[in-house]
Amino acid sequence: MSRRQVELELFFWTIRLTILFILPLHVTDVGIYMGDVARFLNQGEWPYRNFAFEYPPLTFLLFLLPSLALKFFHLVREWDYRLFFAVLLLPFDYALFTGFRRYPPIPRAAFLYVCFTAILAQLLYDRIDLLVGFGIAFPFLFAKEGMKAPRVAVGWGFASSLKLIPLLLLPFRLLETRGTPGWWKKSARLAAFAALPLG
C-alpha cells in the first residue's frame, strides 16, 4: 500500500470514528426508528397494518436488527441504537470508499467522497441513504470494462428495494389528495421531491 493510500485510509477512519463516537446526536431519525420497532416488539403491532411506515419492508428489517441487539445486551439508549445501526452501515460505507480509491471515476474521488459525506455528519449513520448510494454506485465502480448490465441491475434493484419503491405509490398519493386546497402546488412539490433520487 502506497503512502497516499495509507493517508487516505487514516483520513477515512479518523473522520468516521470522530462522527460516530465524538459528535453528539443532533438531527436524527434514530428515535423514529426505535419507536416503530418498539411498537412491533413490545405492542405486537405490525407496520403498514397497525401503524404507518414510510419505507419498504426490507428497511424495517434493518431497523429491527439494532433493536434486537439492544435487547440482547440490555441497553435502551438512542446512542446505543445508533452505534449498532452504524455497525450495519459502516461496511457499505467502507466498500464505497474502497471502490472510489481503486477505480476513481474522477481524480481524488475517494477523498471527495469522505469529505462530502462528512458534511452531514449527524446524518451519516442515522439514515439508509448510504445503503441506497451503495446499491447505485458500487456496481459502476467495479465495472472496469464499461458498464456491466447484470451487476448494475442488481445494484439498482437493491437500492430500489430499500427506498425507491415508494415512488410507485406517487400516483395514488396524488389521486388521494385531489380536490383539497392547494392540490396543484402540493402535487408539484411532491412530484419534484419524489423524482430527486432518479435525477
Side-chain angles (χ1 to χ4, degrees):
M1 188 177 287
S2 67
R3 178 181 175 182
R4 175 63 180 167
Q5 291 176 326
V6 171
E7 290 175 347
L8 272 175
E9 285 281 335
L10 290 175
F11 179 63
F12 174 87
W13 288 108
T14 299
I15 294 293
R16 278 0 188 200
L17 294 178
T18 299
I19 291 172
L20 188 56
F21 291 107
I22 296 178
L23 295 184
L25 287 168
H26 289 301
V27 180
T28 176
D29 288 340
V30 165
I32 299 174
Y33 301 161
M34 290 184 68
D36 287 341
V37 175
R39 296 181 70 170
F40 173 74
L41 292 176
N42 301 329
Q43 303 173 31
E45 298 182 356
W46 287 82
Y48 310 113
R49 187 179 71 183
N50 301 117
F51 63 91
F53 185 67
E54 62 177 310
Y55 296 111
L58 183 60
T59 310
F60 192 80
L61 177 62
L62 296 174
F63 298 154
L64 178 62
L65 292 176
S67 289
L68 294 177
L70 291 184
K71 278 186 171 291
F72 181 80
F73 291 104
H74 305 288
L75 301 171
V76 295
R77 298 180 304 170
E78 285 190 12
W79 193 94
D80 299 317
Y81 181 97
R82 184 187 189 225
L83 178 63
F84 285 112
F85 196 57
V87 169
L88 291 176
L89 298 184
L90 189 56
F92 296 93
D93 182 26
Y94 185 69
L96 274 178
F97 165 74
T98 303
F100 283 124
R101 192 189 67 202
R102 291 180 180 175
Y103 310 109
I106 60 173
R108 300 191 178 191
F111 175 78
L112 293 174
Y113 169 74
V114 177
C115 290
F116 289 149
T117 51
I119 292 174
L120 293 176
Q122 71 274 19
L123 298 179
L124 184 60
Y125 295 124
D126 298 342
R127 298 172 62 89
I128 62 169
D129 297 14
L130 196 59
L131 290 178
V132 175
F134 172 85
I136 295 174
F138 195 77
F140 290 91
L141 294 175
F142 282 84
K144 292 186 287 185
E145 298 176 359
M147 186 174 66
K148 297 181 179 178
R151 181 174 292 165
V152 171
V154 170
W156 182 261
F158 174 70
S160 299
S161 67
L162 286 173
K163 196 163 187 179
L164 302 182
I165 283 180
L167 295 182
L168 301 177
L169 301 176
L170 178 61
F172 300 99
R173 177 60 179 164
L174 296 179
L175 289 174
E176 183 183 38
T177 59
R178 185 178 59 180
T180 59
W183 175 72
W184 285 106
K185 290 182 180 179
K186 291 179 182 177
S187 299
R189 286 199 301 266
L190 182 61
F193 177 76
L196 285 178
L198 303 177

